[in-house]
Amino acid sequence: QHALNSGVRRYHVAPFLCQRAKVAMSHFEPNEYINYEKLEKNINIVRKRLDRPLTLSEKIVYGHLDDPVKQEIERGKTYLRLRPDRVAMQDATAQMAMLQFISSGLPKVAVPSTIHCDHLIEAQSGGEKDLQRAKDINQEVYNFLSTAGAKYGVGFWKPGSGIIHQIILENYSYPGVMLIGTDSHTPNGGGLGGICIGVGGADAVDVMAGIPWELKCPKVIGVKLTGKLSGWTSPKDVILKVAGILTVKGGTGAIIEYHGPGVDSISCTGMATICNMGAEIGATTSIFPYNERMKKYLGKTGRADIAALADEFKQHLVPDSGCQYDQMIEINLSELKPHINGPFTPDLAHPVSDIGAVAEKEGWPVDIRVGLIGSCTNSSYEDMGRSAAVAKQALAHGLKCKSKFTITPGSEQIRATIERDGYAKILREVGGLVLANACGPCIGQWDRKDIKKGEKNTIVTSYNRNFTGRNDANPETHAFVTSPEIVTALSIAGTLKFNPETDYLTGADGKKFKLEAPDADELPKLEFDPGQDTYQYPPKDGSGQHVDVSPTSQRLQLLEPFDKWDGKDLEDMLILIKVKGKCTTDHISAAGPWLKFRGHLDNISNNLLIGAINIENGKANSVRNALTQEFGPVPDTARYYKKMGVKWAVIGDENYGEGSSREHAALEPRHLGGRVIITKSFARIHETNLKKQGLLPLTFADPADYNKIHPVDKLSIVGLKDFAPGKPLKCIIKHPNGSQETIMLNHTFNESQIEWFQAGSALNRMKELQQKSS
């Protein structure tokens, strides 16, 4: 502990932390140990019960069962009660998670937990200035998170530390860990062989409260990798290819498990990239088996003791021979070509060689206005090195980027190391602007000045999502996702019509030249430079710590319990909106400028569904008020219904709630009087978030019944007194002409989730159980 406090934060501390077989989960929690013995014991119990080989995903998931002896296990059907090892929260979602934890009345978190300040820093003029501006603007929120962390035993990573998922990879993920995080890209930790799952804040509260966490037993999709990565093809191209195969909902309810001989040609951070973007195909999480590349990364990040322990238990950190997958995909890495996906959806896959012609045919702008590298998906030392290798070639021929170009380091450690090793200098010289160690433009935190809203343009990024308006709030921005090195090459050329594998550039001397495929070290030759110390340890006793939430604050608001179910059917509900087409969490609860209200439920509810398209008029944020017959904004209409005591419903299309883990997309409709969301299908995290807040997420038994409901109808959900797992509910549709018809609705509630609905929310139910036990 003395060594840690005196500044030796990451290195040469193993002797302080190891006592025989005891190895700390992280250097920041020297008294919290990895428990591979329990993992092994649970795996052996379950393997004997199931009498079959297990996938790696099953080993780690079942190895964290609360009751491995009695737990019913059926992939894709039963709900598992699990005991995750730790929790991580980013600052935008941590506000609501901590507010809910405060509301629970518990004195301290039961498992190691951390808060990471990465979402509230807006990209404007460059790293240092943007960071200082964010500290000034968000002082109230940062103070709340810092003091709440101190009071309840949560580690606090200050603004400027870096992006949550890079920090987790560097410090907290390890082979066999089960970590849940309040961000949909938490699966990034699968690059180190962990089961890392994105959840809403209410799920995090369950784990922090020390109660079993529920997860529907995932199916397992196997992706067998053969061959070897080389040339311009990168780890990013693996997941871009898989996204094109499975689409944005093809991984729903499943873990993507990569395996095969091709795995060994991918760096640890490359594996993390692949797992990270598995969120774009709806996967519960993604994972790679423990191997030498992970061992090498653990050693370089000061965790050789964890690698040595993982070596001892390696048989439990790889899949069993002969294990069976629910679906199998095979990709030959030697044949895989560089890809670029988009626009407007991350599963629209194109080889880079084809994108120029496709863009011209579709009428997409081929001139690239901005290229952006970094993000939680692609900001490793290797990523920056490969981009710098491309930039260095252009500089040697007197060229700079034709497009604007930005660089987002993933962490303070990455920033400090690429500055030391010269990568940042090269990227600046080619025309790049180095931004703060934060999410920035990837999540809409971008004060973009080079275009006007509504102006049609193209950007290319190494990010993970490219939904309409996500990066810059401009619905006419055509965003494409690809690898950092391809972004760099395209930014130098300034056009989608450039294929670096075959096309030539013209140097300042008028001579043509071709870029060579980039090559860079996966890890620095020297040790990582940790940079500034940005971590705040929670005190041993935080009971005297004061957490201040002003009653007049516009950024923070203590929570009031939601109302309990009154025991009656939901009759004559109005339809707030019938959504047409894609409706992501960005559509339901926009990010960007709205991030500042993530700790104030009433204020952020003013963005409810403002991006969703109303099928009645084809417009966003314009719905008919059924009581006044006037059209107005969605949140205003919802507030009017709430004021009049009228319950309402939302009708959605396929994969409703795709995207982020933000539970505000569930809290807001509940806060404004919504009770039911009926869709053709849900994204996993959003469906769980709705249940947690006491709403009814229901799906059409016959998807064609979506067409039977019109925005002017009234709906009644009947049969709630007999609400039971697996039992469909009836929906009576009342049309304005007096006619009625009945359709059937399915649900995925289990018994405890039904209790959440009846209590008004999962948090209400937790408090009821606490009162009974005390």
Side-chain angles (χ1 to χ4, degrees):
Q1 188 65 43
H2 173 74
L4 294 172
N5 291 336
S6 63
V8 187
R9 297 192 295 120
R10 289 189 174 89
Y11 316 114
H12 314 302
V13 294
F16 295 97
L17 305 180
C18 293
Q19 297 175 4
R20 295 180 184 174
K22 286 188 174 182
V23 174
M25 282 198 285
S26 87
H27 297 332
F28 299 101
E29 296 127 1
N31 298 315
E32 299 285 350
Y33 302 109
I34 294 173
N35 195 345
Y36 280 149
E37 290 84 359
K38 181 180 178 182
L39 186 78
E40 181 176 58
K41 180 181 177 182
N42 286 3
I43 290 170
N44 289 338
I45 291 170
V46 173
R47 184 186 282 113
K48 186 175 181 180
R49 286 181 54 199
L50 298 181
D51 192 27
R52 62 173 173 78
L54 300 177
T55 66
L56 171 59
S57 308
E58 290 181 304
K59 287 182 179 183
I60 302 178
V61 172
Y62 304 159
H64 286 82
L65 286 171
D66 181 52
D67 185 354
V69 176
K70 297 179 182 177
Q71 172 71 60
E72 188 179 354
I73 299 171
E74 186 174 357
R75 293 199 315 214
K77 293 188 178 180
T78 56
Y79 277 86
L80 307 178
R81 291 165 62 83
L82 301 164
R83 294 283 185 175
D85 297 303
R86 61 182 310 120
V87 172
M89 299 166 280
Q90 41 96 334
D91 50 357
T93 51
Q95 295 171 63
M96 196 58 68
M98 291 309 295
L99 286 165
Q100 289 177 89
F101 189 81
I102 291 170
S103 181
S104 75
L106 296 168
K108 190 174 182 178
V109 296
V111 301
S113 304
T114 52
I115 294 170
H116 304 259
C117 295
D118 61 358
H119 271 56
L120 300 178
I121 303 169
E122 185 179 48
Q124 191 178 67
S125 55
E128 291 185 11
K129 290 182 179 179
D130 292 347
L131 177 58
Q132 187 55 53
R133 180 168 171 265
K135 289 178 178 178
D136 294 340
I137 293 172
N138 303 306
Q139 183 179 7
E140 179 186 16
V141 171
Y142 292 147
N143 180 63
F144 166 73
L145 294 173
S146 172
T147 55
K151 184 171 183 66
Y152 297 105
V154 179
F156 180 70
W157 288 86
K158 301 171 187 176
S161 302
I163 305 172
I164 176 173
H165 311 303
Q166 184 68 28
I167 297 290
I168 289 171
L169 199 70
E170 292 171 357
N171 300 282
Y172 297 117
S173 185
Y174 61 82
V177 71
M178 174 172 276
L179 179 152
I180 69 165
T182 60
D183 190 279
S184 58
H185 293 105
T186 301
N188 191 80
L192 258 177
I195 288 291
C196 304
I197 302 176
V199 299
D203 275 344
V205 171
D206 280 356
V207 180
M208 291 191 292
I211 63 176
W213 172 61
E214 290 193 354
L215 176 73
K216 195 172 196 179
C217 188
K219 294 183 177 181
V220 187
I221 297 174
V223 179
K224 184 178 181 180
L225 302 178
T226 60
K228 183 179 180 180
L229 285 177
S230 63
W232 284 92
T233 306
S234 73
K236 185 67 164 278
D237 298 306
V238 176
I239 186 58
L240 295 177
K241 177 70 173 179
V242 171
I245 294 169
L246 288 177
T247 76
V248 290
K249 67 172 186 173
T252 302
I255 294 175
I256 311 297
E257 184 172 310
Y258 295 86
H259 61 282
V263 166
D264 292 333
S265 73
I266 305 173
S267 66
C268 177
T269 53
M271 290 185 256
T273 290
I274 294 167
C275 291
N276 176 294
M277 203 176 153
E280 303 344 304
I281 53 178
T284 301
T285 192
S286 301
I287 191 169
F288 279 83
Y290 177 59
N291 67 1
E292 287 297 314
R293 306 299 279 266
M294 294 182 191
K295 182 176 181 178
K296 187 176 179 182
Y297 183 80
L298 285 167
K300 204 67 170 179
T301 51
R303 294 175 288 170
D305 51 348
I306 294 179
L309 188 65
D311 284 342
E312 293 182 35
F313 289 85
K314 186 173 181 179
Q315 73 271 26
H316 303 304
L317 304 174
V318 296
D320 286 343
S321 177
C323 66
Q324 296 297 308
Y325 296 98
D326 295 283
Q327 182 180 346
M328 179 67 83
I329 296 169
E330 187 166 334
I331 296 174
N332 185 338
L333 300 180
S334 299
E335 297 174 356
L336 183 63
K337 289 293 185 181
H339 272 61
I340 183 168
N341 289 21
F344 306 126
T345 185
D347 60 344
L348 187 56
H350 321 273
V352 171
S353 57
D354 297 347
I355 188 62
V358 173
E360 286 190 321
K361 179 182 176 183
E362 297 293 336
W364 304 331
V366 295
D367 291 337
I368 298 167
R369 297 296 290 267
V370 190
L372 307 100
I373 65 169
S375 83
C376 65
T377 317
N378 278 110
S379 57
S380 68
Y381 184 81
E382 181 183 36
D383 288 328
M384 295 298 165
R386 284 174 67 88
S387 294
V390 175
K392 192 173 182 180
Q393 294 178 62
L395 290 169
H397 289 84
L399 296 187
K400 292 191 175 185
C401 291
K402 288 186 178 179
S403 310
K404 290 182 180 294
F405 186 50
T406 70
I407 302 98
T408 304
S411 67
E412 170 61 9
Q413 178 167 275
I414 293 296
R415 182 208 64 78
T417 307
I418 66 171
E419 289 286 1
R420 181 196 69 192
D421 293 352
Y423 291 166
K425 182 175 183 289
I426 293 169
L427 294 170
R428 286 192 187 97
E429 287 177 351
V430 85
L433 174 67
V434 179
L435 301 174
N437 314 321
C439 300
C442 183
I443 59 160
Q445 285 285 53
W446 185 13
D447 185 20
R448 190 178 181 190
K449 302 291 189 184
D450 64 299
I451 60 159
K452 295 178 181 178
K453 190 168 183 178
E455 182 180 343
K456 199 172 180 181
N457 74 103
T458 283
I459 64 173
V460 292
T461 82
S462 69
Y463 303 164
N464 40 50
R465 283 195 185 131
N466 55 350
F467 302 144
T468 302
R470 176 174 174 85
N471 303 121
D472 61 2
N474 179 13
E476 290 300 324
T477 292
H478 294 57
F480 296 84
V481 291
T482 184
S483 68
E485 52 266 47
I486 294 293
V487 171
T488 306
L490 293 179
S491 298
I492 292 165
T495 175
L496 287 177
K497 296 171 71 175
F498 178 70
N499 177 10
E501 287 192 301
T502 58
D503 295 343
Y504 287 80
L505 294 168
T506 303
D509 58 3
K511 296 181 180 178
K512 293 185 177 298
F513 72 98
K514 197 169 79 167
L515 293 170
E516 294 180 3
D519 186 30
D521 294 331
E522 66 179 283
L523 295 166
K525 289 184 172 64
L526 302 174
E527 298 298 326
F528 275 111
D529 183 342
Q532 299 180 42
D533 188 351
T534 54
Y535 180 71
Q536 172 186 295
Y537 287 88
K540 288 184 178 179
D541 181 6
S543 58
Q545 177 70 51
H546 179 66
V547 181
D548 185 30
V549 178
S550 169
T552 60
S553 173
Q554 295 301 301
R555 298 287 302 270
L556 298 164
Q557 181 186 47
L558 293 174
L559 297 174
E560 296 291 332
F562 290 131
D563 58 302
K564 289 187 65 171
W565 176 55
D566 62 8
K568 300 177 183 178
D569 288 335
L570 296 169
E571 296 183 346
D572 293 334
M573 290 182 294
L574 300 179
I575 296 171
L576 178 65
I577 183 172
K578 181 179 179 182
V579 178
K580 178 183 178 182
K582 184 187 281 281
C583 189
T584 71
T585 46
D586 282 0
H587 294 89
I588 304 168
S589 177
W594 292 94
L595 282 171
K596 61 177 172 285
F597 296 125
R598 284 282 180 88
H600 197 293
L601 180 54
D602 194 55
N603 281 346
I604 200 169
S605 293
N606 289 321
N607 76 1
L608 175 65
L609 286 158
I610 61 175
I613 301 302
N614 179 11
I615 199 168
E616 186 175 6
N617 57 11
K619 296 180 180 180
N621 203 24
S622 175
V623 294
R624 183 194 301 274
N625 184 319
L627 302 179
T628 67
Q629 297 304 309
E630 296 176 357
F631 278 86
V634 182
D636 293 359
T637 306
R639 287 187 186 278
Y640 187 84
Y641 291 163
K642 181 179 180 180
K643 179 182 176 182
M644 302 304 292
V646 177
K647 297 180 176 67
W648 50 264
V650 170
I651 309 301
D653 211 316
E654 293 279 8
N655 207 31
Y656 183 89
E658 167 193 346
S660 170
S661 70
R662 69 192 68 156
E663 64 182 339
H664 299 77
L667 283 158
E668 292 174 35
R670 183 73 166 96
H671 175 63
L672 295 184
R675 297 316 305 257
V676 179
I677 313 291
I678 306 172
T679 71
K680 293 180 182 177
S681 64
F682 285 97
R684 175 191 64 86
I685 300 177
H686 186 60
E687 181 180 19
T688 301
N689 287 344
L690 290 169
K691 292 177 182 178
K692 287 278 186 179
Q693 303 307 334
L695 284 140
L696 281 177
L698 306 172
T699 55
F700 296 104
D702 180 357
D705 287 345
Y706 169 87
N707 299 315
K708 293 181 178 179
I709 299 178
H710 305 287
V712 293
D713 294 337
K714 290 183 179 181
L715 305 178
S716 295
I717 306 298
V718 298
L720 289 176
K721 290 181 180 179
D722 299 317
F723 194 14
K727 185 177 181 180
L729 293 168
K730 288 183 180 179
C731 175
I732 299 173
I733 308 169
K734 299 180 181 179
H735 301 298
N737 62 9
S739 63
Q740 296 185 7
E741 53 186 317
T742 300
I743 61 174
M744 301 305 295
L745 301 174
N746 292 331
H747 65 85
T748 60
F749 281 81
N750 62 17
E751 290 181 1
S752 62
Q753 293 169 349
I754 290 173
E755 291 176 356
W756 299 345
F757 168 74
Q758 293 169 340
S761 71
L763 186 59
N764 288 0
R765 180 58 179 159
M766 181 197 297
K767 292 160 96 170
E768 286 180 356
L769 294 173
Q770 285 175 351
Q771 289 169 358
K772 287 181 180 179
S773 66
S774 63

